[in-house]
Amino acid sequence: MTISSCASRVPLSFQCRSDPAFSGTIPRPTASRFSCNPRVGSGNRPFGISSLILRFPPNFVRQLSNKARRNCSNIGVAQIVAASWSDNQPPSSAAAEAKAAASAVSAPIAAGEDVYNDNSKGSLGFCNGSSSVQVNESSFLNGDGSVAIHAGERLGRGIVTDAITTPVVNTSAYFFKKTAELIDFKEKRHVSFEYGRYGNPTTEVLEEKISQLEGAESTLILASGMCASTVMMLALVPAGGHIITTTDCYRKTRIFIETFLPKMGITASVIDPADIAGLKSALDNHKVSLFFTESPTNPFLRCVDIELVSKLCHAKGALVCIDGTFATPLNQKALALGADIVVHSATKYLGGHNDVLGGCVSGSTDIVSQVRIVHHVLGGTINPNAAYLLIRGMKTLKLRIQQQNSTAQRMAEVLEAHPKVKHVYYPGLKSHPEHELAKKQMTGFGGVVSFEVDGDITTTIKFVDSLKIPYIAPSFGGCESIVDQPAIMSYWDLSQPEREKYGIKDNLVRFSFGVEDYEDLEADVLQALEAI
């Protein structure tokens, strides 16, 4: 156990003894605040630091600065302190004043300030919920890039630490000091965490970051994008309810809507993303609870008029949920356009490194609370380590999206002009059926381009296999480019006629451009096209 890093912060010395040969005579160290006599005990047998039991004065916790306790927590000192503090003396008046200042909602803790906060949970310095420190970050975070980096963290997170990065809180449960505190928590007089499935300090930082980026009152983070979508539908659509969705969407979402929801008597109308007449008809003929679609959609990148759809659905009492995974919060603000809910597969662009699974639901506090209740029952909880990876990934979100938007736009134009490409699907192209709509409601068109090679399945396989940079894999949105043939990757269990019912041709390619140099990607795609 290393303890020297805390030495300069502690205004007193501690005592140490050997174990088990404790003579009762405790020599006080003189050379250093954190030094120990190597020959304590009977005889002259030397003891290393690992063989010593540290005995702290009874008021050690109160005198140890908040900063020192935070810095020491990860190396075990604070745990020893907590176990050693048994005198139960009340805190000094100065500490009590500091406690009151730290718990005041309107008083953020200044950088470098030492504050004794008795509201912390355990020895790691977790505040009792995110409401313990509330800071209006919008006053100095105006751009999406800054928000993605600092929202939920700088002066605003509910974890007391001097670390720039948010700590990973690996715990499955949280303790209460006394039963009275537990009762106060149950009766909502005391803010705290309780059980890992219901909340985690690391996860709350991620939720707050996404909320600020989306302009949402609340966000719920879950174990995957599919978990987010399915739990949202189960929470917001009653038994016997009706959903409107679109023809082009992620296949697993379609399977859930067409196969699982009917077991609860929930029916669905499926319309073209641009079919406003079909939308009006479905709203008139059914008691619709939810309109759900992606925009842009997967894999044809169709766009829905979010503003118009929201007005029509709200007039009939239906909620609108947009899966914005392809767009990201940087390219499209679905809530600002009128949607009630936005979901993301955080696995994709939010994480951005092909190394973590996650999903999120954002919207008003009332709506997200309904989803949260069902989530607590079903238990699709994200691991705090995964939440940390998503927080880390989001710090480069704007840089990645700018590069991927640019590369995809340029490559879409190259592909559209190439004689061996029959058709290109990308909202940034004038040939796209919703190009003008995309220009209206998006600030960038994303990093995924779908296109049809001029040839059959064998020709398309040859093209994909000739590529040298992208990985042949599912998913998208990461730093590494990824390519796949949907007919094989996602629909291979269906016959060719069945695949074509969904518009999935054998020559369709979905290319997710990463952050590699554009010139390298262009050269690779061109040489692969020349190979067919």
Side-chain angles (χ1 to χ4, degrees), residues 174-483:
Y174 306 85
F175 70 87
F176 296 86
K177 297 170 186 174
K178 297 289 183 182
T179 302
E181 185 179 79
L182 172 59
I183 293 173
D184 284 343
F185 167 73
K186 292 295 183 179
E187 295 181 356
K188 303 188 185 305
R189 293 186 298 272
H190 174 70
V191 180
S192 181
F193 295 98
E194 179 186 6
Y195 185 59
R197 193 167 77 249
Y198 308 148
N200 175 279
T202 307
T203 302
E204 279 200 346
V205 169
L206 175 60
E207 290 175 343
E208 178 61 20
K209 189 180 291 292
I210 295 172
S211 288
Q212 292 203 34
L213 205 55
E214 283 287 6
E217 289 181 352
S218 182
T219 290
L220 172 65
I221 190 77
L222 302 96
S224 71
M226 273 304 300
C227 185
S229 296
T230 56
V231 172
M232 180 275 302
M233 292 185 211
L234 291 173
L236 300 180
V237 183
H242 192 84
I243 288 179
I244 301 175
T245 188
T246 57
T247 50
D248 188 32
C249 70
Y250 178 51
R251 189 185 177 198
K252 292 299 189 295
T253 306
R254 181 189 296 115
I255 289 173
F256 180 76
I257 292 173
E258 294 179 347
T259 305
F260 287 84
L261 291 184
K263 296 177 182 178
M264 293 176 284
I266 297 173
T267 55
S269 295
V270 184
I271 62 173
D272 185 89
D275 187 3
I276 299 301
L279 172 62
K280 291 178 179 178
S281 176
L283 289 169
D284 289 337
N285 295 322
H286 302 276
K287 184 173 176 54
V288 178
S289 302
L290 179 72
F291 175 90
F292 174 82
T293 190
E294 304 153 3
S295 188
T297 59
N298 182 15
F300 294 111
L301 301 151
R302 298 290 301 278
C303 296
V304 173
D305 191 332
I306 300 173
E307 185 176 6
L308 177 58
V309 166
S310 298
K311 288 179 180 178
L312 294 172
C313 288
H314 292 163
K316 294 290 186 175
L319 296 173
V320 174
C321 178
I322 300 297
D323 183 331
T325 302
F326 271 78
T328 79
L330 269 66
N331 287 331
Q332 179 176 274
K333 305 288 187 185
L335 299 179
L337 291 166
D340 301 286
I341 313 125
V342 60
V343 300
H344 289 277
S345 172
T347 307
K348 312 303 192 295
Y349 287 105
L350 296 185
H353 290 76
N354 291 317
D355 61 359
V356 62
L357 295 177
C360 61
V361 180
S362 299
S364 69
T365 300
D366 176 61
I367 290 175
V368 175
S369 294
Q370 296 176 55
V371 182
R372 197 180 298 273
I373 290 170
V374 177
H375 164 61
H376 288 173
V377 174
L378 297 180
T381 308
I382 193 170
N383 185 281
N385 294 280
Y388 169 80
L389 288 175
L390 289 169
I391 292 169
R392 185 194 65 173
M394 288 183 67
K395 293 179 188 293
T396 59
L397 179 62
K398 184 174 183 178
L399 299 175
R400 290 185 283 106
I401 295 303
Q402 286 176 332
Q403 175 77 358
Q404 289 164 312
N405 283 348
S406 174
T407 296
Q409 179 70 43
R410 295 169 70 183
M411 282 305 310
E413 293 168 0
V414 169
L415 288 165
E416 190 173 48
H418 200 283
K420 293 186 178 180
V421 175
K422 292 183 67 175
H423 192 83
V424 180
Y425 304 92
Y426 188 68
L429 296 177
K430 293 180 180 180
S431 58
H432 190 277
E434 286 89 42
H435 174 63
E436 292 302 320
L437 173 63
K439 285 170 58 179
K440 176 184 174 183
Q441 65 185 23
M442 300 180 73
T443 56
F445 305 113
V448 175
V449 179
S450 295
F451 55 96
E452 294 168 3
V453 173
D454 187 9
D456 57 11
I457 191 169
T458 303
T459 303
T460 309
I461 290 172
K462 185 175 182 180
F463 164 73
V464 170
D465 289 348
S466 297
L467 291 165
K468 299 176 182 178
I469 293 177
Y471 292 93
I472 302 174
S475 197
F476 58 90
C479 291
E480 300 87 357
S481 290
I482 284 178
V483 67

Side-chain angles (χ1 to χ4, degrees), residues 118-140:
D118 196 38
N119 286 332
S120 61
K121 271 288 185 184
S123 61
L124 290 179
F126 314 143
C127 291
N128 290 325
S130 60
S131 63
S132 59
V133 180
Q134 295 290 335
V135 178
N136 181 10
E137 294 178 319
S138 62
S139 61
F140 64 95

Side-chain angles (χ1 to χ4, degrees), residues 6 9 64-75 78 109-117 120 123-126 159-163 167:
C6 298
R9 299 180 183 268
L64 185 61
S65 72
N66 203 39
K67 187 180 297 185
R69 284 190 292 115
R70 295 196 300 257
N71 290 343
C72 294
S73 63
N74 288 335
I75 57 174
I109 300 173
E113 183 178 352
D114 287 337
V115 179
Y116 172 64
N117 182 2
S120 61
S123 61
L124 290 179
F126 314 143
I159 308 176
V160 180
T161 176
D162 289 329

